[in-house]
Amino acid sequence: MIVSLFVDHCLFFHPDQQDFIDDKLAACTVGSLIRQIRAECFLEFVEYLISAEDRHQILDDLVKYLRNGKYELMHSTKHMPGRTLGRLEPTPSLKQKNAA
């Protein structure tokens, strides 16, 4: 949770976010900024790959890296795996409110 809040805070200083804030407009969502950053990184990689002399070796290395499990999927704790939801029946005060 702390890392997530730290990332949110850092993205507050992203140049595009600062432009919105300086213009007194609504800030962007963290998710949309992250998607934009990913797209920019991908485009930079494609430009680098196109201009590289050894582009076939770079692609081969990337494929080996990704296929050897270096890019692992993480388990989400947000979706409460293995946890019970607790009591799902209404509280006495809610029952009384609905009866009225």
Side-chain angles (χ1 to χ4, degrees):
M1 181 66 152
I2 292 172
V3 173
S4 176
L5 292 173
F6 183 67
V7 169
D8 290 358
H9 179 72
C10 289
L11 288 175
F12 189 71
F13 298 100
H14 187 276
D16 291 338
Q17 189 75 294
Q18 285 297 303
D19 289 343
F20 282 109
I21 293 168
D22 291 344
D23 292 339
K24 300 194 182 341
L25 299 171
C28 300
T29 64
V30 170
S32 66
L33 280 172
I34 290 173
R35 282 191 301 273
Q36 180 180 355
I37 291 168
R38 286 179 182 156
E40 289 170 357
C41 289
F42 175 72
L43 290 176
E44 283 183 34
F45 174 74
V46 170
E47 289 172 352
Y48 166 75
L49 188 61
I50 289 171
S51 64
E53 294 286 327
D54 57 342
R55 59 184 146 268
H56 295 293
Q57 184 61 45
I58 293 170
L59 276 177
D60 288 344
D61 292 345
L62 178 63
V63 168
K64 287 177 189 172
Y65 179 82
L66 293 175
R67 287 195 176 150
N68 286 333
K70 302 294 183 193
Y71 187 74
E72 297 180 26
L73 296 175
M74 306 295 288
H75 295 287
S76 171
T77 57
K78 180 170 69 173
H79 297 98
M80 299 175 53
R83 298 182 192 162
T84 61
L85 293 177
R87 106 185 129 70
L88 297 175
E89 63 275 354
T91 60
S93 62
L94 186 60
K95 287 179 185 177
Q96 184 180 17
K97 182 179 178 181
N98 286 336

